[in-house]
């Protein structure tokens, strides 16, 4: 079971998820479907959320959004059509979600789930958005390194070889 956090529509957030988690006794299967687009629409910290709930996230909706408030409309946008709202969903890469940072955080914790394209754009054609979105996800997936970049430093040293390479001759 994944609890999809929809702060932009239903006002669910980490606090609400924790209330749900309390109701189910912290059950291990009460996990999160993470969708950063909703965090943008509600103006919540979607990168900090990853740090806080990384152990509970099992699925990732890769969906973009943008939020451009004005003096006349903000988070709720007065029930305008999607294309006119201050907060609206966009195709991957066309909005304000920092996907490079999200994929890096997920790679750092060896995220076991899927990055699933969820397309809901107020402007772009669906077929174009799907084609571009699949390529976008492919470009952002970070293959986990088998070794740390500085593992060579633990290989030991050979003083004679180092002195020879540096042109220092034999030790005195």
């Amino acid at each position: 079971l994944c609890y999809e956090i929809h702060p932009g529509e239903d006002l669910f957030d980490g606090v609400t998820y924790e209330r749900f988690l309390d109701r189910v006794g912290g059950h291990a299967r009460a996990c999160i479907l993470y969708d950063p687009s909703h965090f943008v629409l509600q103006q919540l910290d979607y990168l900090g959320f990853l740090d806080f709930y990384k152990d509970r996230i099992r699925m990732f909706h890769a969906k973009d959004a943008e939020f451009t408030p004005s003096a006349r409309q903000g988070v709720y946008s007065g029930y305008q059509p999607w294309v006119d709202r201050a907060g609206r969903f966009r195709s991957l890469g066309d909005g304000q979600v920092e996907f490079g940072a999200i994929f890096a955080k997920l790679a750092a914790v060896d995220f076991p789930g899927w990055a699933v394209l969820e397309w809901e754009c107020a402007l772009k054609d669906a077929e174009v958005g799907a084609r571009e979105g699949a390529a976008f996800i492919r470009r952002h997936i970070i293959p986990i390194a088998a070794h740390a970049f500085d593992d060579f430093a633990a290989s030991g040293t050979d003083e004679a070889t180092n002195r020879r390479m540096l042109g220092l001759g034999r030790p005195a």
Side-chain angles (χ1 to χ4, degrees), residues 15-98:
V15 172
T16 307
Y17 170 68
E18 289 173 17
R19 290 179 65 196
F20 168 73
L21 205 53
D22 286 343
R23 291 290 193 140
V24 297
H27 199 286
R29 291 187 187 151
C31 296
I32 296 170
L33 172 75
Y34 174 71
D35 185 337
S37 67
H38 292 279
F39 287 75
V40 169
L41 298 184
Q42 187 64 18
Q43 295 295 282
L44 295 171
D45 180 1
Y46 57 87
L47 293 175
F49 186 91
L50 279 173
D51 294 333
F52 205 78
Y53 296 105
K54 64 183 172 279
D55 296 330
R56 288 286 186 163
I57 296 171
R58 294 294 179 271
M59 293 290 292
F60 164 35
H61 272 178
K63 185 169 71 174
D64 213 340
E66 64 187 355
F67 183 67
T68 54
S70 70
R72 297 181 57 229
Q73 66 176 331
V75 172
Y76 302 109
S77 293
Y79 300 101
Q80 295 290 319
W82 278 106
V83 73
D84 296 327
R85 291 185 185 192
R88 59 189 180 182
F89 298 118
R90 296 299 311 275
S91 283
L92 290 181
D94 292 347
Q96 298 169 336
V97 175
E98 299 172 56

Side-chain angles (χ1 to χ4, degrees), residues 137-158:
I137 291 171
R138 216 174 4 262
R139 281 194 314 273
H140 281 80
I141 290 175
I142 301 171
I144 304 299
H147 305 284
F149 72 92
D150 60 352
D151 278 356
F152 71 90
S155 64
T157 60
D158 180 344

Side-chain angles (χ1 to χ4, degrees), residues 103-125:
F103 277 87
K105 284 182 176 288
L106 293 175
V109 298
D110 200 14
F111 175 64
W114 291 63
V116 178
L117 171 62
E118 182 183 10
W119 184 88
E120 295 177 348
C121 185
L123 300 172
K124 191 174 280 183
D125 175 76

